[in-house]
Coordinates of all heavy atoms in Angstrom, one line a residue:
A1347 N -14.3 0.5 -16.2 CA -14.6 1.7 -15.5 C -15.6 1.4 -14.4 O -16.5 0.5 -14.6 CB -15.0 2.8 -16.4
G1348 N -15.7 2.2 -13.4 CA -16.6 2.0 -12.3 C -16.0 1.7 -11.0 O -14.8 1.8 -10.9
R1349 N -16.8 1.4 -10.0 CA -16.3 1.1 -8.7 C -15.6 -0.3 -8.7 O -16.3 -1.3 -9.0 CB -17.4 1.2 -7.7 CG -16.9 0.9 -6.2 CD -17.6 1.6 -5.2 NE -17.1 3.0 -5.0 CZ -17.0 3.5 -3.9 NH1 -17.4 2.9 -2.8 NH2 -16.5 4.8 -3.8
V1350 N -14.4 -0.3 -8.2 CA -13.6 -1.5 -8.1 C -12.9 -1.5 -6.8 O -12.7 -0.4 -6.2 CB -12.6 -1.8 -9.3 CG1 -13.4 -1.9 -10.6 CG2 -11.6 -0.6 -9.3
A1351 N -12.4 -2.6 -6.4 CA -11.6 -2.7 -5.1 C -10.1 -2.9 -5.5 O -9.8 -3.8 -6.3 CB -12.0 -3.8 -4.3
V1352 N -9.3 -1.9 -5.1 CA -7.8 -2.1 -5.2 C -7.4 -2.7 -3.8 O -7.8 -2.2 -2.8 CB -7.2 -0.7 -5.3 CG1 -5.6 -0.8 -5.3 CG2 -7.6 0.0 -6.6
A1353 N -6.7 -3.8 -3.9 CA -6.4 -4.6 -2.6 C -5.0 -5.2 -2.7 O -4.4 -5.4 -3.7 CB -7.5 -5.6 -2.5
G1354 N -4.6 -5.6 -1.5 CA -3.3 -6.2 -1.3 C -3.0 -6.6 0.1 O -4.0 -6.7 0.9
V1355 N -1.8 -6.8 0.4 CA -1.3 -7.2 1.8 C -0.1 -6.3 2.1 O 0.6 -5.9 1.2 CB -1.0 -8.7 1.9 CG1 -2.3 -9.5 1.8 CG2 0.0 -9.1 0.9
A1356 N 0.0 -6.1 3.4 CA 1.2 -5.3 3.9 C 1.8 -6.1 5.1 O 1.1 -6.8 5.8 CB 0.8 -3.9 4.3
W1357 N 3.1 -5.9 5.3 CA 3.7 -6.6 6.4 C 4.9 -5.7 6.9 O 5.7 -5.2 6.1 CB 4.3 -7.9 5.8 CG 5.0 -8.8 6.8 CD1 4.5 -9.3 7.9 CD2 6.3 -9.3 6.6 NE1 5.4 -10.1 8.5 CE2 6.6 -10.1 7.7 CE3 7.3 -9.1 5.7 CZ2 7.8 -10.8 7.9 CZ3 8.5 -9.8 5.9 CH2 8.7 -10.6 7.0
A1358 N 5.0 -5.7 8.2 CA 6.1 -5.0 8.9 C 6.5 -5.9 10.0 O 5.9 -5.9 11.1 CB 5.8 -3.6 9.4
Q1359 N 7.5 -6.8 9.8 CA 7.9 -7.8 10.7 C 8.2 -7.2 12.1 O 9.0 -6.3 12.2 CB 9.0 -8.6 10.2 CG 9.4 -9.8 11.1 CD 10.5 -10.6 10.5 OE1 11.3 -10.1 9.7 NE2 10.6 -11.9 10.9
H1360 N 7.7 -7.8 13.2 CA 7.9 -7.4 14.6 C 7.3 -6.0 14.9 O 7.5 -5.5 16.0 CB 9.4 -7.5 15.0 CG 10.0 -8.8 14.7 ND1 9.5 -10.0 15.1 CD2 11.2 -9.1 14.1 CE1 10.3 -11.0 14.7 NE2 11.3 -10.5 14.1
R1361 N 6.7 -5.4 13.9 CA 6.1 -4.0 14.1 C 4.6 -3.9 13.9 O 4.0 -3.1 14.4 CB 6.9 -3.0 13.3 CG 8.4 -3.0 13.6 CD 9.1 -1.9 12.8 NE 8.8 -1.8 11.4 CZ 9.4 -2.6 10.5 NH1 10.2 -3.5 10.8 NH2 9.0 -2.4 9.2
G1362 N 4.1 -4.7 13.0 CA 2.7 -4.6 12.6 C 2.4 -3.5 11.7 O 3.2 -2.6 11.5
I1363 N 1.2 -3.5 11.2 CA 0.7 -2.4 10.3 C -0.4 -1.5 10.9 O -1.4 -2.0 11.4 CB 0.1 -3.1 9.0 CG1 1.2 -3.8 8.2 CG2 -0.5 -2.0 8.1 CD1 2.3 -3.0 7.7
Q1364 N -0.1 -0.2 10.9 CA -1.1 0.7 11.4 C -2.0 1.2 10.4 O -3.2 1.4 10.6 CB -0.3 1.9 12.0 CG -1.2 3.0 12.6 CD -0.3 4.2 13.0 OE1 0.1 5.0 12.2 NE2 -0.1 4.2 14.4
K1365 N -1.5 1.5 9.1 CA -2.3 1.9 8.0 C -1.6 1.7 6.7 O -0.4 1.5 6.7 CB -2.7 3.4 8.2 CG -1.6 4.4 8.0 CD -2.2 5.8 8.1 CE -1.1 6.8 8.0 NZ -1.6 8.2 8.0
V1366 N -2.5 1.7 5.7 CA -2.0 1.6 4.3 C -2.6 2.7 3.5 O -3.8 3.0 3.7 CB -2.3 0.2 3.7 CG1 -2.0 0.2 2.2 CG2 -1.6 -0.9 4.4
E1367 N -1.9 3.4 2.7 CA -2.4 4.4 1.9 C -2.2 4.1 0.4 O -1.1 3.5 0.0 CB -1.7 5.8 2.2 CG -2.0 6.2 3.6 CD -1.1 7.3 4.0 OE1 0.2 7.1 4.2 OE2 -1.6 8.5 4.2
V1368 N -3.1 4.6 -0.4 CA -3.0 4.4 -1.9 C -3.1 5.7 -2.6 O -3.9 6.6 -2.2 CB -4.2 3.5 -2.4 CG1 -4.1 3.3 -3.9 CG2 -4.2 2.2 -1.6
R1369 N -2.3 5.9 -3.6 CA -2.3 7.1 -4.4 C -2.6 6.8 -5.8 O -2.0 5.9 -6.4 CB -1.0 7.9 -4.3 CG -1.0 9.2 -5.0 CD 0.2 10.0 -4.8 NE 1.4 9.3 -5.4 CZ 2.6 9.6 -5.2 NH1 2.9 10.6 -4.4 NH2 3.6 9.0 -5.7
V1370 N -3.6 7.4 -6.4 CA -4.0 7.2 -7.8 C -3.4 8.4 -8.6 O -3.7 9.5 -8.3 CB -5.5 7.1 -8.0 CG1 -5.8 7.0 -9.5 CG2 -6.1 6.0 -7.2
D1371 N -2.5 8.0 -9.6 CA -1.8 9.0 -10.3 C -1.0 10.0 -9.3 O -0.4 9.4 -8.5 CB -2.7 9.8 -11.3 CG -3.4 8.8 -12.2 OD1 -2.7 7.9 -12.7 OD2 -4.6 9.0 -12.5
D1372 N -1.1 11.2 -9.5 CA -0.4 12.1 -8.5 C -1.4 12.8 -7.6 O -1.1 13.9 -7.1 CB 0.4 13.2 -9.3 CG 1.6 12.6 -10.0 OD1 2.2 11.7 -9.4 OD2 1.9 13.0 -11.1
N1373 N -2.5 12.2 -7.4 CA -3.5 12.8 -6.4 C -3.1 12.5 -5.0 O -2.1 11.9 -4.7 CB -4.9 12.2 -6.8 CG -5.4 12.6 -8.2 OD1 -5.2 13.7 -8.5 ND2 -5.9 11.6 -8.9
A1374 N -3.9 13.0 -4.1 CA -3.7 12.8 -2.6 C -3.7 11.4 -2.2 O -4.4 10.5 -2.8 CB -4.7 13.6 -1.8
W1375 N -3.0 11.0 -1.2 CA -3.0 9.7 -0.6 C -4.4 9.5 0.0 O -4.9 10.3 0.6 CB -1.9 9.5 0.5 CG -0.6 9.5 -0.1 CD1 0.3 10.6 -0.1 CD2 0.1 8.4 -0.7 NE1 1.5 10.2 -0.7 CE2 1.4 8.8 -1.0 CE3 -0.2 7.1 -0.9 CZ2 2.4 8.0 -1.6 CZ3 0.7 6.3 -1.5 CH2 2.0 6.7 -1.9
Q1376 N -4.9 8.2 -0.2 CA -6.2 7.8 0.4 C -5.9 6.6 1.4 O -5.2 5.7 1.0 CB -7.2 7.4 -0.7 CG -7.5 8.5 -1.7 CD -8.4 7.9 -2.8 OE1 -9.5 7.5 -2.5 NE2 -7.9 7.9 -4.0
E1377 N -6.5 6.7 2.5 CA -6.3 5.6 3.5 C -7.2 4.4 3.1 O -8.4 4.5 3.0 CB -6.6 6.1 4.9 CG -6.1 5.1 5.9 CD -6.0 5.7 7.4 OE1 -5.9 6.9 7.5 OE2 -6.1 4.9 8.3
A1378 N -6.5 3.2 3.0 CA -7.3 2.0 2.7 C -7.9 1.5 4.0 O -7.5 1.8 5.1 CB -6.3 1.0 2.1
K1379 N -8.9 0.6 3.8 CA -9.5 -0.1 4.9 C -8.7 -1.4 5.2 O -8.2 -2.1 4.3 CB -10.9 -0.5 4.5 CG -11.8 0.7 4.3 CD -13.2 0.3 3.9 CE -14.0 1.5 3.5 NZ -14.1 2.6 4.3
L1380 N -8.4 -1.6 6.5 CA -7.6 -2.8 6.9 C -8.4 -4.0 7.2 O -9.5 -3.8 7.8 CB -6.7 -2.4 8.0 CG -5.6 -1.4 7.8 CD1 -4.9 -1.1 9.1 CD2 -4.7 -1.8 6.7
G1381 N -8.0 -5.2 6.9 CA -8.6 -6.4 7.3 C -8.3 -6.7 8.8 O -7.6 -5.9 9.5
P1382 N -8.7 -7.8 9.3 CA -8.5 -8.2 10.7 C -7.0 -8.2 11.0 O -6.2 -8.6 10.2 CB -9.1 -9.6 10.8 CG -10.1 -9.7 9.7 CD -9.5 -8.8 8.6
D1383 N -6.7 -7.9 12.3 CA -5.3 -7.9 12.7 C -5.0 -9.2 13.4 O -5.6 -9.5 14.5 CB -5.1 -6.8 13.7 CG -3.6 -6.6 14.1 OD1 -2.8 -7.5 13.7 OD2 -3.3 -5.7 14.9
A1384 N -4.2 -10.1 12.8 CA -3.9 -11.4 13.4 C -2.6 -11.3 14.2 O -2.1 -12.4 14.7 CB -3.7 -12.4 12.3
G1385 N -2.0 -10.2 14.4 CA -0.8 -10.0 15.1 C 0.3 -9.3 14.3 O 0.2 -9.2 13.1
I1386 N 1.4 -8.9 15.0 CA 2.4 -8.0 14.4 C 3.2 -8.8 13.4 O 3.9 -8.1 12.6 CB 3.3 -7.3 15.4 CG1 4.0 -8.3 16.3 CG2 2.4 -6.3 16.3 CD1 5.0 -7.7 17.2
D1387 N 3.3 -10.1 13.4 CA 4.1 -10.8 12.5 C 3.4 -11.5 11.4 O 3.8 -12.4 10.8 CB 5.0 -11.9 13.3 CG 6.1 -11.2 14.1 OD1 6.6 -10.2 13.7 OD2 6.4 -11.7 15.2
Y1388 N 2.2 -11.0 11.1 CA 1.3 -11.6 10.1 C 1.1 -10.5 9.0 O 1.1 -9.3 9.3 CB 0.0 -12.1 10.6 CG 0.1 -13.3 11.5 CD1 0.3 -13.2 12.8 CD2 0.1 -14.6 10.9 CE1 0.4 -14.3 13.6 CE2 0.2 -15.7 11.7 CZ 0.4 -15.5 13.0 OH 0.6 -16.7 13.8
W1389 N 0.8 -11.0 7.8 CA 0.4 -10.1 6.7 C -0.9 -9.5 7.0 O -1.8 -10.1 7.6 CB 0.3 -10.8 5.4 CG 1.6 -11.3 4.8 CD1 2.2 -12.6 5.1 CD2 2.5 -10.6 4.0 NE1 3.4 -12.6 4.4 CE2 3.6 -11.5 3.8 CE3 2.5 -9.4 3.5 CZ2 4.7 -11.1 3.0 CZ3 3.6 -9.0 2.7 CH2 4.7 -9.8 2.5
R1390 N -1.1 -8.2 6.7 CA -2.4 -7.5 7.0 C -3.0 -7.2 5.6 O -2.4 -6.5 4.8 CB -2.1 -6.2 7.7 CG -3.3 -5.4 8.2 CD -3.8 -6.0 9.6 NE -5.0 -5.4 10.0 CZ -5.0 -4.4 10.9 NH1 -3.9 -4.0 11.5 NH2 -6.2 -4.0 11.3
Q1391 N -4.2 -7.7 5.4 CA -4.9 -7.4 4.2 C -5.5 -6.0 4.2 O -5.8 -5.4 5.3 CB -6.1 -8.4 4.0 CG -5.6 -9.8 3.7 CD -6.8 -10.7 3.6 OE1 -7.8 -10.7 4.3 NE2 -6.8 -11.6 2.6
W1392 N -5.6 -5.4 3.0 CA -6.1 -4.0 2.9 C -6.9 -3.9 1.6 O -6.6 -4.7 0.7 CB -5.0 -3.0 3.0 CG -4.0 -3.1 1.9 CD1 -2.8 -3.7 2.0 CD2 -4.1 -2.5 0.6 NE1 -2.1 -3.6 0.8 CE2 -2.9 -2.9 0.0 CE3 -5.0 -1.8 -0.1 CZ2 -2.6 -2.6 -1.4 CZ3 -4.7 -1.4 -1.4 CH2 -3.5 -1.8 -2.0
Y1393 N -7.8 -2.9 1.5 CA -8.5 -2.7 0.3 C -9.0 -1.2 0.2 O -9.2 -0.6 1.3 CB -9.7 -3.6 0.0 CG -10.9 -3.3 0.9 CD1 -11.9 -2.6 0.4 CD2 -11.0 -3.8 2.2 CE1 -13.0 -2.3 1.2 CE2 -12.1 -3.6 3.0 CZ -13.1 -2.8 2.5 OH -14.2 -2.6 3.3
L1394 N -9.1 -0.7 -1.0 CA -9.6 0.7 -1.2 C -10.6 0.6 -2.3 O -10.3 0.3 -3.4 CB -8.4 1.6 -1.6 CG -8.9 3.0 -1.9 CD1 -9.1 3.8 -0.6 CD2 -7.9 3.7 -2.7
P1395 N -11.9 1.0 -2.0 CA -12.9 1.2 -3.0 C -12.4 2.3 -3.9 O -12.1 3.4 -3.4 CB -14.2 1.5 -2.3 CG -14.0 1.0 -0.9 CD -12.5 1.2 -0.7
W1396 N -12.4 2.1 -5.2 CA -11.9 3.1 -6.2 C -12.9 3.3 -7.3 O -13.3 2.3 -7.9 CB -10.6 2.7 -6.7 CG -10.0 3.6 -7.8 CD1 -10.0 5.0 -7.8 CD2 -9.3 3.2 -8.9 NE1 -9.3 5.5 -8.9 CE2 -8.9 4.4 -9.6 CE3 -8.9 2.0 -9.5 CZ2 -8.2 4.4 -10.8 CZ3 -8.2 2.0 -10.7 CH2 -7.9 3.1 -11.3
D1397 N -13.3 4.5 -7.6 CA -14.2 4.8 -8.7 C -13.3 5.1 -9.9 O -12.8 6.2 -10.2 CB -15.0 6.1 -8.4 CG -16.1 5.8 -7.3 OD1 -16.6 4.7 -7.3 OD2 -16.2 6.7 -6.5
A1398 N -12.9 4.0 -10.6 CA -12.0 4.0 -11.7 C -12.6 4.7 -13.0 O -13.7 4.3 -13.4 CB -11.6 2.6 -12.1
L1399 N -11.8 5.6 -13.5 CA -12.2 6.3 -14.7 C -11.4 5.7 -15.9 O -10.3 5.2 -15.7 CB -11.9 7.8 -14.6 CG -12.7 8.6 -13.5 CD1 -12.2 10.0 -13.4 CD2 -14.2 8.5 -13.8
P1400 N -12.0 5.7 -17.1 CA -11.2 5.2 -18.2 C -9.9 5.9 -18.4 O -9.7 7.1 -18.2 CB -12.2 5.5 -19.4 CG -13.5 5.6 -18.8 CD -13.3 6.2 -17.5
G1401 N -8.9 5.1 -18.9 CA -7.6 5.6 -19.2 C -6.5 4.9 -18.4 O -6.7 3.9 -17.8
R1402 N -5.3 5.4 -18.5 CA -4.1 4.9 -17.9 C -3.9 5.5 -16.5 O -4.0 6.7 -16.4 CB -2.9 5.2 -18.8 CG -1.6 4.7 -18.3 CD -0.5 5.1 -19.2 NE 0.8 4.6 -18.9 CZ 1.6 5.1 -17.9 NH1 1.3 6.1 -17.3 NH2 2.8 4.5 -17.7
H1403 N -3.7 4.7 -15.5 CA -3.5 5.2 -14.2 C -2.4 4.5 -13.5 O -2.1 3.3 -13.7 CB -4.8 5.0 -13.3 CG -6.0 5.7 -13.9 ND1 -6.2 7.0 -13.8 CD2 -7.0 5.2 -14.6 CE1 -7.3 7.3 -14.4 NE2 -7.8 6.2 -14.9
Q1404 N -1.7 5.2 -12.6 CA -0.6 4.7 -11.8 C -1.1 4.6 -10.4 O -1.5 5.6 -9.8 CB 0.7 5.5 -11.9 CG 1.8 4.9 -11.1 CD 3.1 5.5 -11.3 OE1 3.3 6.2 -12.3 NE2 4.1 5.3 -10.4
L1405 N -1.1 3.4 -9.8 CA -1.5 3.2 -8.4 C -0.2 2.9 -7.6 O 0.6 2.1 -7.9 CB -2.4 1.9 -8.3 CG -3.7 2.0 -9.2 CD1 -4.4 0.7 -9.1 CD2 -4.5 3.1 -8.9
T1406 N -0.1 3.7 -6.5 CA 1.1 3.6 -5.7 C 0.6 3.3 -4.2 O -0.4 3.9 -3.8 CB 1.9 4.8 -5.7 OG1 2.3 5.1 -7.1 CG2 3.2 4.7 -4.9
V1407 N 1.3 2.4 -3.5 CA 0.9 2.0 -2.2 C 2.1 2.2 -1.2 O 3.2 1.9 -1.6 CB 0.4 0.6 -2.1 CG1 0.0 0.2 -0.8 CG2 -0.7 0.4 -3.1
R1408 N 1.8 2.7 0.0 CA 2.8 2.7 1.1 C 2.1 2.3 2.4 O 0.9 2.5 2.6 CB 3.4 4.1 1.2 CG 2.4 5.2 1.7 CD 3.1 6.5 1.7 NE 2.2 7.5 2.2 CZ 2.4 8.8 2.3 NH1 3.6 9.3 1.8 NH2 1.5 9.7 2.7
A1409 N 2.9 1.8 3.3 CA 2.3 1.4 4.6 C 3.0 2.2 5.7 O 4.1 2.7 5.6 CB 2.6 -0.1 4.8
T1410 N 2.3 2.2 6.8 CA 2.8 2.8 8.1 C 2.8 1.7 9.1 O 1.7 1.1 9.3 CB 2.0 4.0 8.5 OG1 2.0 5.0 7.4 CG2 2.5 4.6 9.8
D1411 N 3.9 1.5 9.9 CA 3.9 0.5 10.9 C 3.3 1.0 12.2 O 3.0 2.2 12.3 CB 5.3 -0.1 11.1 CG 6.3 0.8 11.6 OD1 5.9 1.8 12.3 OD2 7.5 0.6 11.4
L1412 N 3.2 0.2 13.2 CA 2.6 0.6 14.5 C 3.5 1.5 15.3 O 3.0 2.1 16.2 CB 2.3 -0.7 15.3 CG 1.1 -1.5 14.8 CD1 1.0 -2.8 15.6 CD2 -0.2 -0.8 14.9
N1413 N 4.7 1.7 14.9 CA 5.6 2.7 15.5 C 5.4 4.1 14.9 O 6.0 5.1 15.3 CB 7.1 2.3 15.3 CG 7.4 1.1 16.0 OD1 6.9 0.7 17.1 ND2 8.4 0.3 15.5
G1414 N 4.5 4.1 13.8 CA 4.3 5.4 13.1 C 5.3 5.7 12.0 O 5.3 6.8 11.4
D1415 N 6.2 4.7 11.7 CA 7.2 4.9 10.6 C 6.5 4.6 9.3 O 6.0 3.5 9.1 CB 8.4 4.0 10.9 CG 9.1 4.4 12.1 OD1 9.2 5.6 12.4 OD2 9.6 3.4 12.8
V1416 N 6.6 5.6 8.3 CA 6.1 5.4 7.0 C 7.1 4.7 6.1 O 8.3 5.0 6.2 CB 5.7 6.8 6.4 CG1 5.2 6.6 5.0 CG2 4.7 7.5 7.2
Q1417 N 6.6 3.7 5.4 CA 7.5 3.0 4.4 C 8.3 4.0 3.6 O 7.7 4.9 2.9 CB 6.6 2.1 3.6 CG 7.3 1.2 2.6 CD 6.4 0.4 1.8 OE1 5.2 0.4 2.0 NE2 6.9 -0.5 1.0
P1418 N 9.6 3.9 3.5 CA 10.3 4.8 2.6 C 10.0 4.6 1.1 O 9.8 3.5 0.7 CB 11.8 4.5 3.0 CG 11.8 3.2 3.6 CD 10.4 2.9 4.2
E1419 N 10.1 5.7 0.4 CA 9.9 5.6 -1.0 C 11.0 4.9 -1.8 O 10.7 4.1 -2.7 CB 9.7 7.0 -1.6 CG 9.5 7.1 -3.1 CD 9.3 8.5 -3.6 OE1 9.4 9.5 -2.8 OE2 9.0 8.6 -4.8
Q1420 N 12.2 5.0 -1.3 CA 13.4 4.5 -2.0 C 13.3 2.9 -1.9 O 13.1 2.4 -0.9 CB 14.7 5.0 -1.4 CG 14.9 6.5 -1.5 CD 14.0 7.2 -0.5 OE1 13.6 6.7 0.5 NE2 13.7 8.5 -0.9
K1421 N 13.6 2.3 -3.1 CA 13.6 0.8 -3.1 C 15.0 0.3 -2.6 O 16.0 0.9 -2.9 CB 13.4 0.3 -4.6 CG 12.0 0.7 -5.0 CD 11.6 -0.1 -6.3 CE 10.3 0.3 -6.9 NZ 9.2 0.2 -6.0
A1422 N 14.9 -0.8 -1.9 CA 16.1 -1.5 -1.4 C 15.8 -3.0 -1.5 O 14.7 -3.4 -1.3 CB 16.5 -1.1 0.0
T1423 N 16.9 -3.8 -1.7 CA 16.7 -5.2 -1.8 C 16.5 -5.8 -0.4 O 16.8 -5.2 0.6 CB 17.9 -5.9 -2.5 OG1 19.1 -5.5 -1.7 CG2 18.1 -5.4 -3.9
P1424 N 16.0 -7.0 -0.3 CA 15.7 -7.6 1.0 C 16.9 -7.8 1.9 O 16.8 -7.7 3.1 CB 15.1 -9.0 0.7 CG 14.5 -8.8 -0.7 CD 15.4 -7.9 -1.4
F1425 N 18.1 -8.1 1.3 CA 19.3 -8.4 2.1 C 20.0 -7.1 2.4 O 20.3 -6.3 1.5 CB 20.2 -9.4 1.4 CG 21.4 -9.8 2.3 CD1 21.2 -10.7 3.3 CD2 22.6 -9.2 2.1 CE1 22.3 -11.1 4.0 CE2 23.7 -9.5 2.8 CZ 23.5 -10.5 3.8
P1426 N 20.4 -6.7 3.6 CA 20.4 -7.6 4.8 C 19.2 -7.2 5.7 O 19.0 -7.8 6.7 CB 21.7 -7.3 5.4 CG 22.0 -5.8 5.1 CD 21.4 -5.6 3.7
K1427 N 18.5 -6.0 5.5 CA 17.6 -5.5 6.5 C 16.1 -5.5 6.0 O 15.3 -4.9 6.7 CB 18.0 -4.1 6.9 CG 19.3 -4.0 7.6 CD 19.6 -2.7 8.1 CE 20.8 -2.6 8.9 NZ 21.1 -1.3 9.4
G1428 N 15.8 -6.2 4.9 CA 14.5 -6.2 4.4 C 14.2 -5.2 3.3 O 14.9 -4.2 3.2
A1429 N 13.3 -5.6 2.4 CA 13.0 -4.7 1.3 C 12.3 -3.5 1.7 O 11.6 -3.5 2.7 CB 12.2 -5.5 0.3
T1430 N 12.5 -2.4 0.9 CA 11.7 -1.2 1.1 C 11.3 -0.6 -0.2 O 11.7 -1.2 -1.3 CB 12.6 -0.1 1.9 OG1 13.7 0.2 1.1 CG2 13.0 -0.5 3.2
G1431 N 10.5 0.4 -0.2 CA 10.1 1.0 -1.4 C 8.6 0.9 -1.6 O 8.0 -0.1 -1.2
W1432 N 8.0 2.0 -2.1 CA 6.6 2.0 -2.4 C 6.3 1.0 -3.6 O 7.1 1.0 -4.5 CB 6.1 3.4 -2.8 CG 6.3 4.4 -1.7 CD1 6.5 4.2 -0.4 CD2 6.2 5.8 -1.8 NE1 6.6 5.4 0.3 CE2 6.4 6.4 -0.6 CE3 5.9 6.6 -2.9 CZ2 6.3 7.8 -0.3 CZ3 5.9 8.0 -2.7 CH2 6.1 8.6 -1.4
H1433 N 5.2 0.4 -3.5 CA 4.8 -0.5 -4.6 C 4.0 0.3 -5.6 O 3.0 1.0 -5.2 CB 4.1 -1.7 -4.1 CG 3.7 -2.7 -5.2 ND1 4.6 -3.5 -5.8 CD2 2.5 -3.0 -5.7 CE1 4.0 -4.2 -6.7 NE2 2.7 -3.9 -6.7
S1434 N 4.2 0.2 -6.9 CA 3.5 1.0 -7.9 C 3.3 0.1 -9.1 O 4.1 -0.6 -9.5 CB 4.3 2.2 -8.2 OG 3.6 3.0 -9.1
I1435 N 2.0 0.2 -9.6 CA 1.7 -0.5 -10.9 C 0.9 0.5 -11.8 O 0.3 1.5 -11.3 CB 0.9 -1.7 -10.7 CG1 -0.5 -1.4 -10.0 CG2 1.6 -2.8 -9.8 CD1 -1.4 -2.6 -10.0
V1436 N 0.9 0.2 -13.1 CA 0.1 1.0 -14.0 C -1.0 0.1 -14.5 O -0.8 -1.1 -14.7 CB 1.0 1.4 -15.3 CG1 0.1 2.0 -16.3 CG2 2.1 2.4 -14.8
V1437 N -2.2 0.6 -14.5 CA -3.4 -0.1 -14.9 C -4.1 0.7 -16.1 O -4.0 1.9 -16.1 CB -4.4 -0.3 -13.8 CG1 -3.8 -1.2 -12.7 CG2 -4.9 1.0 -13.2
I1438 N -4.7 -0.1 -17.0 CA -5.5 0.5 -18.0 C -6.9 0.2 -17.8 O -7.3 -0.9 -17.7 CB -5.1 0.0 -19.4 CG1 -3.6 0.1 -19.7 CG2 -5.9 0.6 -20.5 CD1 -3.1 1.5 -19.7
V1439 N -7.7 1.3 -17.6 CA -9.2 1.1 -17.3 C -10.0 1.4 -18.6 O -9.7 2.4 -19.3 CB -9.6 2.1 -16.2 CG1 -11.1 1.9 -16.0 CG2 -8.8 1.8 -15.0
E1440 N -10.8 0.4 -18.9 CA -11.7 0.6 -20.1 C -13.1 0.8 -19.8 O -13.6 0.5 -18.7 CB -11.6 -0.6 -21.0 CG -10.1 -0.8 -21.6 CD -10.0 -2.0 -22.5 OE1 -11.0 -2.8 -22.6 OE2 -9.0 -2.1 -23.1

């Protein structure tokens, strides 16, 4: 429990990343802080300072590209047009 960093990378080939948002449980989306921009065809690091409370939590992440298109929630395999879907994990905080 306490302040921790939730972090990862986002990628939108040929489009770049405008923002990344994180949702804890079913609460409002929070905008993550982005790392340096190395160009539209590179992974973009991101992090969100989170005041984690004890218990079970679901963390969900979505990205928005430089065209303003939000990553779709529905999951799809990489072939033939690239993977989609929000990334979500469950964490247990003690």
Side-chain angles (χ1 to χ4, degrees):
R1349 181 150 272 219
V1350 297
V1352 176
V1355 293
W1357 181 58
Q1359 186 178 24
H1360 306 310
R1361 298 183 318 276
I1363 296 295
Q1364 179 182 79
K1365 70 178 176 179
V1366 172
E1367 297 169 289
V1368 180
R1369 182 173 67 190
V1370 178
D1371 301 320
D1372 288 322
N1373 295 316
W1375 290 100
Q1376 300 175 63
E1377 192 165 337
K1379 298 179 186 310
L1380 296 178
D1383 185 358
I1386 61 173
D1387 288 327
Y1388 291 91
W1389 292 93
R1390 187 84 184 259
Q1391 293 179 314
W1392 60 265
Y1393 73 96
L1394 177 79
W1396 176 42
D1397 293 319
L1399 300 174
R1402 180 184 186 276
H1403 301 282
Q1404 182 169 344
L1405 305 176
T1406 305
V1407 179
R1408 68 181 181 189
T1410 301
D1411 67 22
L1412 290 173
N1413 295 329
D1415 295 324
V1416 178
Q1417 180 179 4
E1419 180 178 3
Q1420 298 76 23
K1421 293 192 184 311
T1423 59
F1425 184 80
K1427 294 185 177 182
T1430 62
W1432 298 345
H1433 183 71
S1434 183
I1435 63 168
V1436 172
V1437 297
I1438 306 297
V1439 178
E1440 296 184 351

